[in-house]
Amino acid sequence: GSHAQLEDTAPRIVEHPTDVLVSKGDPATLSCKAEGRPAPEVEWYKDGERVETDREDPRSHRTLLPGGSLFFLRILHGRRGKPDEGVYVCVARNYLGEATSRNASLEVAGE
């Protein structure tokens, strides 16, 4: 056939997350944008563990935005800990492979 066939491509990260400093209770966004064909699935990992978003838990305060960014409705921070603080990476996957973003740290400002 003479029609142009778009080739499938492995994911690549075109926008990496950057370090953020957030006041507790404020919203925050960790950016991530990946390209690939078929469009890659994006997952986030914090300190090596997969981040659950409202896709897995409807009550989660974390939302995976359509482009792949991770949005926090509000940064949780209590006396017992700082569940959102840590080092995040975003991983984009399709059947051809995966791409991992640079590390981005999320820090909660002062008390």
Side-chain angles (χ1 to χ4, degrees):
S2 58
H3 66 282
Q5 179 62 46
L6 286 168
E7 292 212 0
D8 285 356
T9 54
R12 64 189 185 96
I13 308 278
V14 291
E15 187 182 330
H16 290 266
T18 52
D19 295 351
V20 287
L21 180 64
V22 200
S23 299
K24 76 175 182 193
D26 280 3
T29 304
L30 287 168
S31 301
C32 180
K33 202 174 194 178
E35 287 179 352
R37 181 178 299 276
E41 281 283 310
V42 171
E43 291 187 327
W44 283 86
Y45 290 84
K46 169 185 171 290
D47 301 328
E49 297 208 354
R50 195 161 168 274
V51 172
E52 291 218 326
T53 63
D54 59 2
R55 290 191 176 182
E56 291 87 24
D57 178 358
R59 290 166 324 198
S60 174
H61 67 294
R62 291 182 290 247
T63 300
L64 189 62
L65 299 179
S69 295
L70 184 64
F71 176 68
F72 299 81
L73 297 173
R74 65 192 176 284
I75 291 299
L76 298 184
H77 188 326
R79 275 194 294 270
R80 287 186 304 282
K82 307 174 179 181
D84 290 325
E85 202 165 76
V87 176
Y88 289 80
V89 294
C90 107
V91 179
R93 288 192 186 87
N94 66 16
Y95 79 96
L96 284 169
E98 64 177 57
T100 303
S101 73
R102 291 194 289 269
N103 287 354
S105 65
L106 186 149
E107 277 188 68
V108 179
E111 256 304 272

